[in-house]
Amino acid sequence: MNGMTTSAGAGAGLLLLVLLLPLAGSLAVTFLRSNDRVAKLTALGVSLVEFVLTLALCVGYRPTGARLQMVSSADWIATVGVHLSFGVDGIALVMIAVIGLLVPVVIGAGWAEKLPAGRSAGGFLALILVQESLMVGVFAATDVFLFYVLFEIMLIPMYFLIGGYGGARRQYAAVKFFLYSFLGGLLMLASAIGAYAYAAAQTGHGTFDWATLAQITRNAPPSLQVWLFLGFFAAFAIKAPLVPLHTWLPDATAEAPIGVGVILVGVLDKVGTFGFLRYCLPMFPAASRELAPLLLVLAVAGVLYGSVLATGQRDMKRFIAYVSIAHFGFIALGIFAFSSQAQVGAVSYMVNHSVATGMLLLVLGMVIARGGSTVIDDYGGMAKLTPLLAGMLLLAGLSTLSLPGTNSFVSEFLVLLGSFPREPVFTVLATIGMVLAAMYVLWLYQRVMQGPARGDALVGLAGGPGAAVDPDSETGTRSARRMVGDLSRREIAVLAPLVLLVIGLGFFPKPLLDVITPSVGATMTEAGFSDPVTSQGGK
Amino acid sequence: MLSSAATASVPAATGIAGYAWVLLALPSLGALVLLVGGRRTDAWGHLLGCATVIAAFCYGLALFLSTTGLPPESRVQDLHLYSWLPVNALQVDFGLRIDPLSLTFVLLITGVGALIHVYSIGYMDTDRDRRRFFGYLNLFVASMLLLVLGNGFVTLYLGWEGVGLASYLLIGWYQNRPSAATAAKKAFLMNRVGDVGLALAIFLMFRYLGTTQYTEVFARAGELPSGALLAITLLLLLGACGKSGQFPLQAWLPDAMEGPTPVSALIHAATMVTAGVYLIARANPIYNLSADGRLLVMVIGVVTLMIGCIIGCAYDDIKKVLAYSTVSQIGYMILAVGLGPFGYALGIMHLLTHGFFKAGLFLGAGSVMHGMHDEVDMRRMGGLARYMPITTATFGLAYLAIIGFPGLSGYWSKDAIVEAAFGQPGWHGWVFGGLALVGVGLTAFYMTRLFLLTFFGEKRWENLTTEDGRAYHPHESGPVMTVPMIILAVGSVAAGAFFAVGERLARWLAPSLGTLEVSEQGPLNAAGVSVLSIVFMVVGVALAWLLVGRRPVPVVRPARVSAVVTAARKDLYANAINEALVARPGVWLARALVYVDNKGVDGMVNGTAALLGGSSGRMRRLQTGFVRSYALSMLGGSILVIAALLAVRYG
């Protein structure tokens, strides 16, 4: 095994390219940072090439093929069996595709954003690209130790993105984010070492290779599994925050720049739910089974608590954070209900939440860019001035409340339908979240877009702050329209791919589901579960 | 076997039926072009909107005629379009079921829909966003067609929430009016409560049968355990209550009158709100198996029809009275489908005739409002017959139809339901039949009151002005509005007899709903009921004439009235109850939790961090505090690592 490097074909090379390209891009952007425009164009170019490469990755993936594909491995710390090994299954693949999509969208959305004094766009974009590489790495890692290392390193660019480029309380938010995640990571490290030690005791030589290690820990005594499970679980439950470990997220989302917020709730947090599926279930099935009731309580509590709190928020960005907490609750419910429909629903929820809530946050960012305030009640009647922006907010909102015909419906429906046979009580409780979602989304829309037009936030608009705009006066509306412009071409270009996905994945989710289903099936098999319902019904 | 819809296999659609996706594609395309095209399509948008629906109607008619040519047993066809949600055992198709029931609805939706589209050209001609209005109307038609054409409960659900969205957009059409925005949100929310019921029913079907497609669910409904069967019937009923404004979810429908009047006519009278009736009729193989489920359906129907009638007597807002009338008439339909094989076809028949006369009444009310500066208070109207002869005539025919004047549509369809309710054995017959009969009298009362207040008596508007000071100049509407009203009036007169004579409609629907059965076990026979209902109708008309026809009507409504009238004016306290039981506690809960989350949960975490870091101020003091906390958490983490390793060792 010494010094050996293995890789399997062109696919493995492609995956490594996807992994390393943004890193190289960030170096280039760092060198070009003296000129904002060149730096922005370079970063956008790199992220677009990266997006094309992730699409190529999807084309090259065989859903019904091997458990892990495009695998490559190189020795790292040979004495303790740590490797630099990468590979993807369907679940990791779709998340990498989401990363590839969101990064250029975020760069485009932040094109005209004003950064805090003394910060250059180049530095910001270089961090974004580093973040992209690390996120791809976390999803592609197939060595448990490597995963841990990337899991922790991934916090560093995010720490600087929030702490360096965010709002007024950015330092507080960044530290809080870092401490929470870092602490969770340490608990995971403890469990990983524990698993390693157990493997060493069982087979004579320890390993961190995920597939090998999982095979060994799978058969460990349940009492040990529970301890090891909890370490991993703590890390993941902080990352995809489950109540009551969630309080870092509203602060981080509120203080982060819009684009960083999108990456945070869209991708970074999904490492947690991904971790449940990749690490908790296949490595510690007995513990998963034993602790499932507890986890389901946390999941459903998250759905209800997050939803109720979302209705009570005054700040748009904190609103997004609580919506996400509710959605992570749905994802966790789907994962720990142990049926293929629910788990496929959960994985597609990870994708669809990134698209829907990412879009909602971006659109709210466009509202904030016009009004200069994140307080919901500073707005009113904007639909009259910016009909296109209003339409986009409504579409993103409808997807967030999982209206059938949008992408999120597919995942929420599958999660609930799949959870129902085994966990009827928890599922029925979670359906209350469906009603609450309609409430918080439509109430937000009503307060921002409907009612009489108000100028509180739209400073300079027909009479300045505090002045009401006469909605029926033709001239009043027209002059206000000039000052508060509707969507620009750039903003339309940023939102267009998300709109297409919201509708496209709502009506034609099959390609996505077909990639996810076999990997979920393998996870279920590894964890020793089988579906409670066949095509002839359940028992 | 009660219904041939319950046969195991359904043949694939062939011939013209193979193109049934056109029905969905046309209005969808219209909505897409109008909503994405923006201002560029302003000039011709309304024409495109009408064209897609008229074309869909023409195709629907051709499909209908080709189906009537088939033998009854091959009139049920499935059109598979693509695989929508495939995950192992779950296989949800995106497909259409073409059968007599769905075709009947297709003709109603596209037919009445086309008329109301044409009418809207005139009604919305001064609205700058008319093009977007037609986009939303097209979206509605597409969703409604999917609702009735889908070949499984999940495609139905897609259309079900799709029409909810269109309804939301159109109720909130005048979106700078806070009451409109609030009404739109209320409608969506109350519908969502019902939708959860529908969703749970679907989950139960999957749980016990492993499928959600009509063909398999209906064929194997008998395998459902009795508890699950009853639960499914109740949950589907909850869904129906939400969409159809039935008790206890009726409060959104009157508020929905905030939308433009053509919307009230199409969505909140003729089509969408009858979707609950469709749902129960469609699920007849399930309801046939559960007498308890059917009993609750009847109870909800009869309770709602009484609520609607009582409140309808008290309002002065012409659209609100019509809205409560809709609530009550749908109560009749729900009562009918609750009768099972004795009533499915009758419910659908009343749904169709109601589609004609209620759409006609709403378009008439819209014509009145169009000529009266959007006035809706009937106390400020009166004597309009002279100024609006066509509106008065068409409205009058629809009015006679709804009160069940012998020979007109409502007479055939409503009487049949009252008779069937009296056909039930024992106390069921007396209670359900008796209340349905009382409803006939009340309907005659409030509709006569409405008709007299609006079109006859003194011209109370002569000395009044609108809120912004304009005088009233009532005038007849143009032909683009009156022609649809005339066509609907013809339907209001003739449709009932056409459907009922020789049980023409019931026999056509039999492949979908089973054969219509007639029961003679009840306390009263058909002829007796028929006479009684005419008596009740006459009494209702006479009372209304005595109250508002013979005496002058005050312009301001009297404040000192009996407790019953006060209660009716307050919607029988439905909104107050919602407010007290749901809305206010909800707001309190949200506020309390926000406080707890900030002070409690987060405070605890910050407190712990402060304990570790020395002081919370230091944690906020950036890098110093950061490094310190970082170091401490590393220490804490290392302790945990050691603990974990020890646990491995000695565990």
Side-chain angles (χ1 to χ4, degrees):
Chain A
M1 291 274 285
N2 252 353
M4 200 176 73
T5 304
T6 59
S7 65
L14 187 59
L15 181 61
L16 292 177
L17 191 59
V18 168
L19 191 63
L20 295 174
L21 177 74
L23 212 53
S26 84
L27 276 179
V29 172
T30 311
F31 284 119
L32 298 169
R33 71 176 179 278
S34 54
N35 183 333
D36 271 3
R37 192 173 164 73
V38 174
K40 282 181 189 172
L41 285 171
T42 314
L44 183 64
V46 169
S47 68
L48 285 172
V49 173
E50 172 82 353
F51 174 56
V52 173
L53 290 179
T54 58
L55 288 184
L57 210 57
C58 294
V59 172
Y61 183 81
R62 297 276 157 269
T64 51
R67 175 77 174 92
L68 293 172
Q69 299 181 28
M70 296 147 176
V71 289
S72 58
S73 180
D75 276 356
W76 184 16
I77 314 170
T79 45
V80 287
V82 173
H83 298 85
L84 290 172
S85 28
F86 297 99
V88 291
D89 64 357
I91 303 168
L93 180 77
V94 294
M95 285 316 297
I96 290 172
V98 166
I99 298 169
L101 170 78
L102 283 187
V103 171
V105 165
V106 158
I107 293 176
W111 202 260
E113 199 164 355
K114 257 188 69 185
L115 297 171
R119 309 282 179 187
S120 73
F124 178 75
L125 293 170
L127 282 173
I128 294 265
L129 289 175
V130 172
Q131 188 76 59
E132 181 170 23
S133 268
L134 292 175
M135 292 187 303
V136 171
V138 157
F139 286 109
T142 57
D143 181 285
V144 179
F145 193 82
L146 175 67
F147 173 78
Y148 163 74
V149 169
L150 289 169
F151 185 89
E152 295 283 41
I153 295 181
M154 183 175 75
L155 302 177
I156 294 169
M158 186 47 80
Y159 170 76
F160 286 111
L161 281 169
I162 299 173
Y165 298 87
R169 294 171 72 229
R170 56 180 183 255
Q171 293 286 359
Y172 168 73
V175 169
K176 199 168 172 185
F177 157 77
F178 192 95
L179 281 184
Y180 260 97
S181 301
F182 187 76
L183 203 65
L186 285 178
L187 294 175
M188 174 166 75
L189 176 64
S191 277
I193 293 173
Y196 176 86
Y198 176 76
Q202 292 293 305
T203 62
H205 57 89
T207 178
F208 278 110
D209 176 60
W210 171 76
T212 320
L213 189 58
Q215 248 164 20
I216 298 167
T217 55
R218 206 170 287 162
N219 300 312
S223 56
L224 174 63
Q225 282 195 26
V226 166
W227 284 104
L228 298 178
F229 175 96
L230 284 175
F232 279 90
F233 178 78
F236 300 143
I238 288 173
K239 188 108 283 191
L242 296 182
V243 175
L245 302 172
H246 65 281
T247 60
W248 65 270
L249 185 64
D251 283 321
T253 317
E255 298 306 322
I258 296 287
V260 175
V262 171
I263 290 180
L264 183 66
V265 296
V267 182
L268 220 61
D269 289 352
K270 306 293 167 42
V271 176
T273 47
F274 170 79
F276 291 148
L277 278 166
R278 175 64 78 75
Y279 296 94
C280 288
L281 259 54
M283 289 175 75
F284 317 110
S288 306
R289 199 179 295 253
E290 200 166 309
L291 295 175
L294 172 72
L295 309 177
L296 291 167
V297 167
L298 291 182
V300 174
V303 169
L304 300 178
Y305 190 80
S307 302
V308 171
L309 277 161
T311 62
Q313 292 308 307
R314 301 180 62 235
D315 182 282
M316 291 178 179
K317 290 156 109 186
R318 295 182 77 87
F319 167 84
I320 293 287
Y322 284 102
V323 169
S324 299
I325 290 165
H327 286 188
F328 292 135
F330 274 113
I331 297 174
L333 169 65
I335 291 173
F336 291 105
F338 306 119
S339 80
S340 60
Q341 287 81 23
Q343 289 190 348
V344 170
V347 176
S348 65
Y349 215 134
M350 287 157 63
V351 175
N352 288 328
H353 172 265
S354 302
V355 172
T357 312
M359 180 175 166
L360 188 60
L361 183 51
L362 286 172
V363 175
L364 286 176
M366 292 167 187
V367 171
I368 294 166
R370 283 161 177 75
S373 164
T374 61
V375 179
I376 297 170
D377 288 334
D378 283 350
Y379 296 85
M382 269 184 93
K384 199 96 182 160
L385 309 176
T386 56
L388 207 52
L389 179 61
M392 289 296 115
L393 180 62
L394 187 63
L395 183 67
L398 291 174
S399 176
T400 300
L401 65 80
S402 298
L403 188 84
T406 65
N407 57 341
S408 309
F409 165 72
V410 172
S411 23
E412 195 166 298
F413 182 76
L414 286 175
V415 163
L416 292 171
L417 176 124
S419 304
F420 185 78
R422 244 193 259 277
E423 305 294 346
V425 176
F426 286 113
T427 309
V428 170
L429 287 174
T431 56
I432 298 171
M434 290 170 61
V435 179
L436 292 174
M439 182 147 97
Y440 59 65
V441 166
L442 298 183
W443 199 28
L444 173 84
Y445 184 76
Q446 181 179 1
R447 285 183 287 172
V448 175
M449 292 296 173
Q450 298 178 319
R454 286 172 45 161
D456 289 27
L458 309 171
V459 178
L461 180 150
V469 180
D470 179 7
D472 295 322
S473 114
E474 183 72 18
T475 51
T477 307
R478 206 180 300 138
S479 71
R481 236 183 219 157
R482 257 203 307 279
M483 265 180 265
V484 184
D486 209 343
L487 292 183
S488 67
R489 273 165 206 270
R490 173 181 60 81
E491 288 170 324
I492 292 174
V494 164
L495 293 178
L498 299 176
V499 171
L500 289 179
L501 283 175
V502 164
I503 306 287
L505 289 178
F507 282 92
F508 306 99
K510 191 172 187 293
L512 177 67
L513 302 181
D514 283 352
V515 169
I516 298 169
T517 306
S519 294
V520 161
T523 306
M524 294 257 298
T525 311
E526 286 156 4
F529 284 99
S530 59
D531 270 343
V533 175
T534 69
S535 61
Q536 290 305 300
K539 292 150 284 289
Chain B
M1 185 126 308
L2 287 162
S3 162
S4 61
T7 46
S9 71
V10 171
T14 51
I16 181 173
Y19 299 94
W21 52 268
V22 168
L23 282 168
L24 301 180
L26 282 167
S28 306
L29 192 70
L32 193 70
V33 170
L34 295 179
L35 295 178
V36 175
R39 301 246 157 246
R40 272 157 293 198
T41 59
D42 270 357
W44 43 268
H46 53 286
L47 299 177
L48 176 72
C50 292
T52 57
V53 179
I54 292 171
F57 176 72
C58 293
Y59 173 81
L61 199 61
L63 187 57
F64 169 76
L65 293 174
S66 81
T67 309
T68 50
L70 297 172
E73 61 277 9
S74 42
R75 284 180 191 169
V76 179
Q77 305 179 64
D78 251 4
L79 178 60
H80 169 84
L81 293 175
Y82 63 89
S83 170
W84 184 23
L85 299 173
V87 181
N88 297 336
L90 178 73
Q91 293 293 331
V92 176
D93 272 356
F94 198 99
L96 307 180
R97 160 165 295 212
I98 297 133
D99 71 350
L101 184 61
S102 62
L103 281 176
T104 307
F105 271 87
V106 165
L107 292 182
L108 173 75
I109 294 158
T110 55
V112 175
L115 292 176
I116 290 173
H117 273 69
V118 171
Y119 176 94
S120 302
I121 295 177
Y123 191 85
M124 302 298 287
D125 62 350
T126 53
D127 198 309
R128 273 181 300 158
D129 290 320
R130 181 170 69 174
R131 175 235 359 136
R132 192 157 50 88
F133 182 81
F134 276 88
Y136 291 168
L137 278 188
N138 268 211
L139 176 68
F140 167 75
V141 170
S143 307
M144 188 72 204
L145 286 171
L146 178 62
L147 193 165
V148 298
L149 278 166
N151 68 350
F153 283 95
V154 187
T155 37
L156 173 123
Y157 190 74
L158 171 59
W160 191 266
E161 288 224 330
V163 292
L165 169 64
S167 164
Y168 168 81
L169 292 169
L170 287 162
I171 296 171
W173 178 254
Y174 301 113
Q175 48 184 345
N176 51 358
R177 218 156 63 191
S179 57
T182 302
K185 189 181 63 189
K186 181 177 177 182
F188 197 98
L189 278 177
M190 294 192 87
N191 268 288
R192 258 260 150 150
V193 174
D195 295 355
V196 167
L198 180 52
L200 287 172
I202 294 174
F203 301 160
L204 273 169
M205 290 172 202
F206 177 70
R207 159 73 179 82
Y208 287 100
L209 302 174
T211 178
T212 58
Q213 300 298 121
Y214 290 152
T215 311
E216 288 114 39
V217 170
F218 294 159
R220 293 173 41 217
E223 297 170 26
L224 289 167
S226 60
L229 181 72
L230 182 62
I232 288 174
T233 59
L234 299 187
L235 289 164
L236 290 178
L237 176 63
L238 179 62
C241 286
K243 192 70 43 194
S244 294
Q246 298 294 290
F247 178 80
L249 298 175
Q250 80 282 9
W252 68 269
L253 185 53
D255 288 13
M257 298 299 120
E258 288 283 346
T261 308
V263 173
S264 311
L266 177 61
I267 301 183
H268 304 120
T271 55
M272 182 190 86
V273 291
T274 60
V277 182
Y278 168 81
L279 175 64
I280 295 174
R282 173 57 84 195
N284 68 80
I286 298 175
Y287 279 94
N288 283 340
L289 299 172
S290 174
D292 293 338
R294 289 201 305 275
L295 178 63
L296 199 73
V297 174
M298 285 194 283
V299 169
I300 292 290
V302 87
V303 166
T304 313
L305 90 83
M306 291 308 293
I307 290 177
C309 285
I310 291 169
I311 302 178
C313 296
Y315 265 96
D316 297 322
D317 178 325
I318 185 169
K319 283 183 73 181
K320 291 240 164 147
V321 175
L322 290 178
Y324 272 111
S325 162
T326 305
V327 167
S328 144
Q329 296 297 314
I330 298 172
Y332 274 104
M333 300 171 208
I334 294 283
L335 169 65
V337 292
L339 295 170
F342 302 103
Y344 294 126
L346 303 180
I348 300 299
M349 179 158 79
H350 194 52
L351 190 157
L352 295 173
T353 59
H354 178 259
F356 285 110
F357 59 69
K358 188 52 69 62
L361 289 170
F362 266 111
L363 294 192
S367 176
V368 169
M369 288 165 61
H370 200 64
M372 288 284 288
H373 295 313
D374 286 329
E375 184 58 67
V376 290
D377 186 351
M378 295 184 294
R379 292 186 179 275
R380 301 167 73 86
M381 298 178 183
L384 293 177
R386 261 185 58 198
Y387 301 88
M388 304 179 174
I390 303 177
T391 302
T392 310
T394 57
F395 196 97
L397 289 171
Y399 151 74
L400 290 175
I402 194 176
I403 67 168
F405 191 82
L408 272 60
S409 283
Y411 167 78
W412 299 97
S413 57
K414 204 197 297 177
D415 244 31
I417 294 174
V418 181
E419 280 167 23
F422 265 116
Q424 293 289 297
W427 65 270
H428 286 192
W430 282 115
V431 171
F432 296 116
L435 287 173
L437 200 55
V438 173
V440 170
L442 288 170
T443 307
F445 172 79
Y446 69 74
M447 282 310 299
T448 309
R449 175 174 175 271
L450 180 149
F451 192 54
L452 293 176
L453 278 178
T454 307
F455 293 102
F456 298 98
E458 292 172 53
K459 293 181 256 180
R460 293 181 297 276
W461 43 270
E462 267 185 328
N463 300 317
L464 299 173
T465 56
T466 61
E467 269 176 33
D468 49 3
R470 289 177 293 173
Y472 294 108
H473 299 289
H475 57 85
E476 185 57 277
S477 305
V480 75
M481 289 169 69
T482 49
V483 169
M485 285 154 57
I486 292 168
I487 297 175
L488 288 170
V490 172
S492 307
V493 173
F498 177 78
F499 294 145
V501 170
E503 293 196 336
R504 192 183 268 133
L505 182 74
R507 275 190 287 123
W508 154 249
L509 289 173
S512 303
L513 301 179
T515 316
L516 179 64
E517 297 177 31
V518 179
S519 165
E520 295 292 352
Q521 301 166 299
L524 277 179
N525 66 9
V529 173
S530 201
V531 171
L532 270 179
S533 77
I534 291 175
V535 170
F536 270 79
M537 180 199 83
V538 170
V539 170
V541 171
L543 280 176
W545 186 76
L546 288 173
L547 198 70
V548 299
R550 218 173 48 137
R551 308 192 300 203
V553 178
V555 172
V556 179
R557 71 177 195 187
R560 286 169 53 92
V561 287
S562 67
V564 180
V565 177
T566 311
R569 281 182 184 174
K570 292 189 171 161
D571 306 277
L572 299 181
Y573 304 108
N575 285 317
I577 293 169
N578 286 342
E579 178 77 12
L581 289 186
V582 183
R584 227 172 301 140
V587 171
W588 287 337
L589 178 67
R591 278 195 200 142
L593 283 185
V594 168
Y595 183 82
V596 168
D597 197 60
N598 286 338
K599 302 291 169 203
V601 181
D602 203 24
M604 205 166 70
V605 170
N606 280 343
T608 315
L611 213 65
L612 284 173
S615 83
S616 67
R618 205 164 292 175
M619 178 176 163
R620 292 195 185 102
R621 212 181 297 153
L622 317 179
Q623 305 302 343
T624 30
F626 171 55
V627 170
R628 185 160 180 167
S629 311
Y630 187 13
L632 271 167
S633 50
M634 278 181 80
L635 179 67
S638 312
I639 293 169
L640 283 167
V641 172
I642 294 164
L645 287 174
L646 288 176
V648 174
R649 191 74 181 257
Y650 302 106

